[in-house]
Amino acid sequence: MARQARAWQRMLSGRRLDLLDPTPVDIEIEDIAHGLAFVARWNGQTRGDFPYSVAEHSLLVEALFSRMTPTAGAVEKLTALLHDAPEYVIGDMISPVKAAVGPHYSVLDKRLAAAIHIRFGLPAQVPARLKARIKKADRISAYMEATQIAGFSLSEAQKIFGRPDPALTDGLEIHLRPPIEARAAFTKRHADLLEALQ
């Protein structure tokens, strides 16, 4: 009888996270922040001395979402910050690779996202309207990243991501910094939003 492949990962916190059946009790923000700070966006194909991490991207998306939705509460902002949190264990795949892999990546992503949300007191499933607003912030972030650090021309980025309202991006810059700094910034923002939930 064939032995079943291992489907769990040991986290630095000591937790053992089952990727096929994740439970909220095995999720720690320190693991998420560490993982996201070391996962490169754009498959690492960005300018600069440090990779642009998913942690940095998540901070930017939350900042853009907050600008787009000034009345948003801590629950919505925390949901925006954690929108790519599953990538701390399954990595960041560029859209063309996700399309080639098919629905399996999406299934893992959804299971992990639900467990992460429950762990931090959020609804397991993100309401469609909120998901759409976060996705819009995500596309604006992608446009900024594409044009500032990933080598896209303005016209190419506009065709793929659309042209954002300059008022939403004014004063926001892409940060390239060591992973430990990105990890600390992500952890702090998470803590601030959790405190605001109290």
Side-chain angles (χ1 to χ4, degrees):
M1 184 180 250
R3 197 166 134 184
Q4 189 173 1
R6 179 172 63 91
W8 56 266
Q9 179 174 341
R10 174 78 60 200
M11 311 310 289
L12 289 178
S13 65
R15 299 288 189 186
R16 189 169 115 163
L17 183 66
D18 184 334
L19 301 180
L20 300 180
D21 187 23
T23 61
V25 295
D26 290 324
I27 292 166
E28 299 292 344
I29 193 58
E30 293 80 11
D31 294 330
I32 293 173
H34 183 83
L36 295 184
F38 283 88
V39 173
R41 293 263 300 162
W42 303 93
N43 282 346
Q45 298 300 306
T46 53
R47 298 183 187 106
D49 294 331
F50 298 103
Y52 184 68
S53 72
V54 176
E56 293 286 9
H57 164 76
S58 298
L59 289 162
L60 180 58
V61 168
E62 192 266 321
L64 287 163
F65 171 80
S66 295
R67 284 184 173 199
M68 288 168 40
T69 318
T71 59
V75 166
E76 294 169 310
K77 291 177 182 181
L78 185 57
T79 304
L81 181 70
L82 295 172
H83 79 284
D84 279 340
E87 294 178 9
Y88 85 108
V89 286
I90 59 174
D92 179 35
M93 288 191 198
I94 58 173
S95 296
V97 175
K98 286 180 185 174
V101 169
H104 300 294
Y105 179 91
S106 179
V107 169
L108 281 176
D109 183 78
K110 285 178 183 172
R111 284 183 188 153
L112 281 164
I116 290 164
H117 289 167
I118 292 167
R119 169 66 176 87
F120 300 114
L122 302 172
Q125 304 301 320
V126 179
R129 190 168 173 205
L130 175 56
K131 191 171 189 172
R133 284 185 284 168
I134 293 170
K135 186 64 182 169
K136 183 176 179 182
D138 194 35
R139 287 182 68 80
I140 294 169
S141 174
Y143 174 89
M144 291 175 66
E145 295 163 19
T147 56
Q148 291 182 33
I149 58 171
F152 284 58
S153 68
L154 289 175
S155 61
E156 185 180 23
Q158 285 174 18
K159 282 180 191 171
I160 297 169
F161 306 110
R163 185 172 183 270
D165 178 351
L168 291 174
T169 60
D170 186 44
L172 290 178
E173 295 179 15
I174 300 294
H175 296 284
L176 294 173
R177 52 186 166 176
I180 57 169
E181 292 180 19
R183 179 180 66 198
F186 184 92
T187 303
K188 182 180 185 321
R189 185 61 183 149
H190 180 268
D192 290 345
L193 289 170
L194 269 189
E195 188 176 337
L197 287 177
Q198 307 306 323

